[in-house]
Amino acid sequence: MQDLDYLKETPSQTGGPYVHIGLTPNKLGIEGIYPVDLGESPIRDGAKGEIVTITGTVSDGAGMVMRDALMESWQADAAGIYPGNDPRGAADPNVTGWARIIADFDSGEWVLKTVKPGRVPFPDGRMMAPHISLWIVARGINLALQTRIYFEDEDNEACPVLQRIEHRARVTTLIAKKSGAGQYRFDIVLQGDNETVFFDI
Amino acid sequence: MNPSQTDRGPLFFRDRDWHPAAYTPGYKTSMTRAPFRPLVAMGSTLSEETGPAFGHSMIGALDNNLILNFTGQPAIGERIIMHGRVLDENGRGVPHVLVEIWQANAGGRYRHKKDSYAAPLDPNFGGCGRTLSGPDGAYEFLTVRPGAYPWPNRVNDWRPMHIHISVFGSGFGQRLITQLYFEGDPLIARCPIVKTIGNDKAIQALIAPLDMNRAIPMDCLAYRFDIVLRGRRQSFFENRKEGM
């Protein structure tokens, strides 16, 4: 038999407890190497659309709020175009779409201030409901977890990704709850009751 | 094919038998941080096939030189070049992507408020670096080889010498964090974090060989480490209705 000549993906390993040294050194107090930490905000002043603030925590299977979690978010602009290599065209120049988010070292709360994204098409052309993709690493997580933030005040019924979730009661774990004007709450639970849906995508 | 076409296809599916499992009791912290319910699986969408791009304007001249980037005075330790290429599973170089690293100093001590190991900090070593891959995916860092260090898992667990690596592809679904280990380190085979990976070939893929061809005589040794990201499909027949 011939060999397939594909390479194998480099195996993942945990980001460990000191992930901030590499990815957010200024926030850790290692100053002077980089002028600023990358991913401070996914938007600049003047971004078009509704500005929203999403707050939450990441909890483990023992119910403990994790203060060493690091997340990255990736999203489209208000018109549903991704900045960068989106084949459909250029995004709002004031939307970079990407942010690096760390839990507060004391409280474990994280905050993402951004613009609410527009709808983006699934490969078959149906539209996905507005969402922000999240990538989560921490000590104890061997391969980063992938999830999505959806919004309570959007029409999520027809989203082809949410429709893939067999256990319908779990869909609510992906939907940020409105907590005020432009404010949402999105708590992530890694394990156990109310475990957040994670994707292999 | 120009880059704007090659970086748009659907992503290859991730082989989760090759990667570490989530629940790996030898690594105790994973036991409460592993999802118990199955992952929801599907092919990639635009949300995973697109990703952030980084420009040379944000990279400083010493950002990939951990020996000098903290104070400008040289860090203490075994001077090494760490270099390689960022590739995809099709074997193509992945150009212009961000590679970030972090590590302990030569004595195994991290510059982090939660590290209380007895080995001292090096006043001239910060421990982080970053660079962009070149047009062919090549990258390099100059650093000191990190020391092994103890960690609270079992009573006498020690991490092998390692460098943490974070890398971006052209799509957010390619995002990867891993660890580089060094050829010949006897702690590799004893490490519960290494052994979260069940496949020995996969473990070998994380061990950087000594690369004497890249060493600089009377200056520094070198280790080579290639990073492979998820590939992209080239088919033009992807956009069909489900079930057709």
Side-chain angles (χ1 to χ4, degrees):
Chain A
M1 190 171 67
Q2 298 183 0
D3 285 333
L4 283 169
D5 61 357
Y6 298 112
L7 303 177
K8 290 295 283 184
E9 188 184 10
T10 299
S12 175
Q13 291 270 264
T14 179
Y18 307 129
V19 63
H20 313 94
I21 294 174
L23 304 189
T24 60
N26 288 286
K27 288 191 182 70
L28 181 65
I30 302 176
E31 294 167 352
I33 299 181
Y34 308 146
V36 293
D37 291 334
L38 294 177
E40 292 272 351
S41 174
I43 54 173
R44 299 187 193 96
D45 290 345
K48 295 188 191 74
E50 181 190 355
I51 303 299
V52 297
T53 302
I54 307 161
T55 307
T57 55
V58 184
S59 300
D60 69 12
M64 192 179 79
V65 170
M66 290 163 53
R67 293 171 298 174
D68 54 4
L70 182 144
M71 304 192 295
E72 291 180 4
S73 65
W74 175 242
Q75 65 167 92
D77 69 8
I81 303 292
Y82 279 101
N85 52 334
D86 191 319
R88 298 167 302 155
D92 180 344
N94 291 317
V95 174
T96 64
W98 175 74
R100 200 164 253 173
I101 309 158
I102 62 170
D104 183 89
F105 292 126
D106 298 315
S107 70
E109 291 254 336
W110 56 265
V111 178
L112 173 63
K113 184 180 179 187
T114 187
V115 66
K116 193 190 258 191
R119 287 147 58 91
V120 173
F122 197 63
D124 64 8
R126 288 181 293 164
M127 298 304 280
M128 297 186 279
H131 66 275
I132 297 173
S133 297
L134 277 187
W135 177 89
I136 307 168
V137 293
R139 175 172 69 103
I141 297 176
N142 292 325
L143 173 59
L145 297 169
Q146 295 164 274
T147 189
R148 289 182 172 191
I149 302 173
Y150 287 82
F151 298 89
E152 183 178 44
D153 51 352
E154 293 286 338
D155 179 7
N156 296 310
E157 281 300 307
C159 179
V161 169
L162 293 178
Q163 284 180 348
R164 289 286 186 95
I165 300 170
E166 179 189 356
H167 302 108
R168 301 309 298 165
R170 300 192 64 210
V171 172
T172 58
T173 68
L174 298 184
I175 299 182
K177 304 290 183 292
K178 193 148 191 174
S179 57
Q183 306 276 326
Y184 294 86
R185 182 84 198 174
F186 190 77
D187 290 317
I188 296 160
V189 179
L190 298 190
Q191 183 190 84
D193 291 341
N194 300 314
E195 183 176 303
T196 300
V197 170
F198 298 103
F199 293 101
D200 177 10
I201 191 167
Chain B
M1 198 177 279
N2 68 45
S4 62
Q5 288 171 304
T6 58
D7 67 5
R8 285 177 180 173
L11 298 173
F12 286 174
F13 311 108
R14 204 160 231 168
D15 180 352
R16 288 177 182 266
D17 293 328
W18 176 259
H19 283 286
Y23 185 81
T24 48
Y27 176 25
K28 293 180 182 178
T29 311
S30 76
M31 295 175 75
T32 51
R33 295 185 172 194
F36 280 170
R37 291 176 174 78
L39 303 182
V40 174
M42 72 187 79
S44 63
T45 75
L46 269 177
S47 306
E48 294 75 36
E49 292 157 15
T50 58
F54 300 93
H56 286 277
S57 61
M58 44 158 258
I59 302 289
L62 286 178
D63 281 6
N64 69 340
N65 183 341
L66 285 74
I67 289 181
L68 290 179
N69 72 8
F70 192 47
T71 61
Q73 295 301 309
I76 290 172
E78 181 182 338
R79 296 162 61 85
I80 61 167
I81 291 170
M82 162 191 168
H83 76 103
R85 288 178 74 203
V86 182
L87 303 162
D88 68 17
E89 290 171 288
N90 291 306
R92 284 190 279 261
V94 185
H96 315 306
V97 294
L98 182 67
V99 181
E100 296 163 289
I101 66 170
W102 67 101
Q103 62 170 90
N105 68 23
R109 176 74 185 271
Y110 282 96
R111 189 171 289 279
H112 192 291
K113 50 190 162 195
K114 285 169 65 181
D115 189 357
S116 55
Y117 181 35
L121 288 169
D122 176 343
N124 296 316
F125 187 75
C128 61
R130 63 187 181 189
T131 192
L132 291 178
S133 64
D136 57 352
Y139 76 90
E140 68 176 355
F141 292 93
L142 181 62
T143 187
V144 295
R145 186 149 79 146
Y149 62 86
W151 59 297
N153 191 58
R154 296 172 301 192
V155 174
N156 193 25
D157 274 332
W158 293 71
R159 293 305 322 282
M161 301 176 285
H162 65 277
I163 296 175
H164 295 268
I165 306 170
S166 164
V167 60
F168 288 76
S170 51
F172 195 58
Q174 294 169 297
R175 193 78 181 82
L176 183 72
I177 277 186
T178 189
Q179 299 182 28
L180 171 158
Y181 303 102
F182 293 88
E183 176 185 355
D185 185 342
L187 289 171
I188 294 171
R190 294 171 167 84
C191 177
I193 289 179
V194 173
K195 287 194 281 194
T196 60
I197 299 171
N199 181 312
D200 187 58
K201 275 190 181 169
I203 290 174
Q204 295 301 315
L206 297 184
I207 302 175
L210 179 68
D211 180 4
M212 291 305 290
N213 288 337
R214 192 65 179 266
I216 303 174
M218 309 305 288
D219 186 339
C220 62
L221 284 170
Y223 287 86
R224 181 178 171 97
F225 191 79
D226 288 339
I227 301 160
V228 181
L229 302 177
R230 294 170 73 179
R232 288 180 186 262
R233 297 160 71 96
Q234 299 300 308
S235 167
F236 294 99
F237 304 105
E238 294 285 346
N239 297 326
R240 296 177 296 187
K241 296 286 185 196
E242 281 188 76
M244 291 180 72

